[in-house]
Amino acid sequence: MLEISKISIQKKRTDRYNIFFKGPSGKDEYAFSVGEDTLITEGLRKGLTLDDVKINELKRKDDTNKAFNKAIYYLAQRMRSELEVRDRLAKADYDPEQIDVVIARLYKENLLNEKVFSEAFVLTKKQTTMKGPRVIERELKEKGIKEKDRLYGLSFYKETDEIEKVAKWIGKQHTKQKKQSHKLFKLKLKQQLMQKGFSNDAIQIAIEESLEKLPEEEEYQACYLQGEKILKKKMRKYTGYDLIQHVKMSLYQKGFPMELIQQFIDEKIKTSE
């Protein structure tokens, strides 16, 4: 058994205390340090005797408190999921048992709440990124958020929000349409939006609302532009009927309707023959 002979406050950390025992020479010798919470809850004071088991218990409890404080600091930067906190503590070399204790305490003190986290995460992504619900749900899953909490968070990203967001994005893409067919333009938009995580229904509604009346003259200008490029390339190998057929096929593959393709053929090829 060892008797505490002295307790002093650390100079750089006023929330931590150094514990001393009497050494063989009769002088106070440093033994270990604890945080203020451990000092109070364990009733550590001068004259108290401790055995090796209790000393090791105090050291481990203090180490776990350090892990808790590290978790609080990590959470103070922004909201985190349980998995993120666990990963951070594991990287700091805390063992699974200590991490479990910290996580349980964080939940008890409402410093961890995956339902609230999911809601905040979805709302932030909806407001600051061009990500749809499917991509956001995948990101929540990667952060270890359980299905019921993911679904709760995603309830704040309604289909009307998707449609509005997609429609605005489509409006900004309209300048790119001038060099391609309406059909190909819509197909590429749909593919891009699906990759961004938006639902097929929301995409379809937004496309129909935003691109319901695409000017036919714009599509013909695109057809004419693409047709000239194709014609210049095909004329190196083909003439007459074969040239016309290859130009038609190339423009059709780019999504232009046959009536516009024929109009280009009539204006550009037949008049030049």
Side-chain angles (χ1 to χ4, degrees), residues 152-170:
Y152 173 78
L154 289 165
S155 69
F156 292 90
Y157 203 146
K158 303 184 184 303
E159 187 178 66
T160 52
D161 298 325
E162 283 191 78
I163 295 169
E164 181 181 356
K165 198 172 188 70
V166 169
K168 287 181 179 178
W169 184 82
I170 289 175

Side-chain angles (χ1 to χ4, degrees), residues 164-194:
E164 181 181 356
K165 198 172 188 70
V166 169
K168 287 181 179 178
W169 184 82
I170 289 175
K172 296 177 182 179
Q173 308 303 308
H174 186 61
T175 54
K176 298 178 182 179
Q177 187 274 329
K178 295 180 180 180
K179 295 183 179 181
Q180 54 192 314
S181 66
H182 292 347
K183 181 179 179 180
L184 185 60
F185 178 56
K186 290 179 181 179
L187 179 61
K188 287 183 176 180
L189 287 180
K190 188 172 183 178
Q191 290 173 339
Q192 291 172 359
L193 289 164
M194 290 287 284

Side-chain angles (χ1 to χ4, degrees), residues 209-258:
E209 290 180 355
S210 304
L211 306 176
E212 183 179 3
K213 296 180 179 180
L214 283 171
E216 186 174 321
E217 60 271 18
E218 281 190 9
E219 184 164 35
Y220 180 66
Q221 289 173 3
C223 180
Y224 194 90
L225 178 65
Q226 295 294 332
E228 283 193 316
K229 292 180 181 179
I230 293 168
L231 180 60
K232 185 177 180 180
K233 183 178 179 181
K234 299 296 182 183
M235 285 178 68
R236 298 170 187 168
K237 294 178 64 176
Y238 305 101
T239 59
Y241 177 79
D242 287 342
L243 175 62
I244 291 173
Q245 291 304 110
H246 277 86
V247 171
K248 279 185 176 182
M249 183 59 66
S250 295
L251 287 170
Y252 186 74
Q253 289 173 344
K254 288 184 177 292
F256 292 104
M258 194 54 71

Side-chain angles (χ1 to χ4, degrees), residues 25-43:
S25 63
K27 293 182 179 180
D28 295 327
E29 293 184 359
Y30 171 81
F32 60 93
S33 65
V34 295
E36 187 174 33
D37 48 357
T38 302
L39 184 81
I40 294 171
T41 57
E42 294 294 331

Side-chain angles (χ1 to χ4, degrees), residues 256-268:
F256 292 104
M258 194 54 71
E259 60 269 21
L260 293 185
I261 295 173
Q262 189 60 51
Q263 184 180 342
F264 171 77
I265 297 295
D266 292 342
E267 290 184 12
K268 192 68 179 177

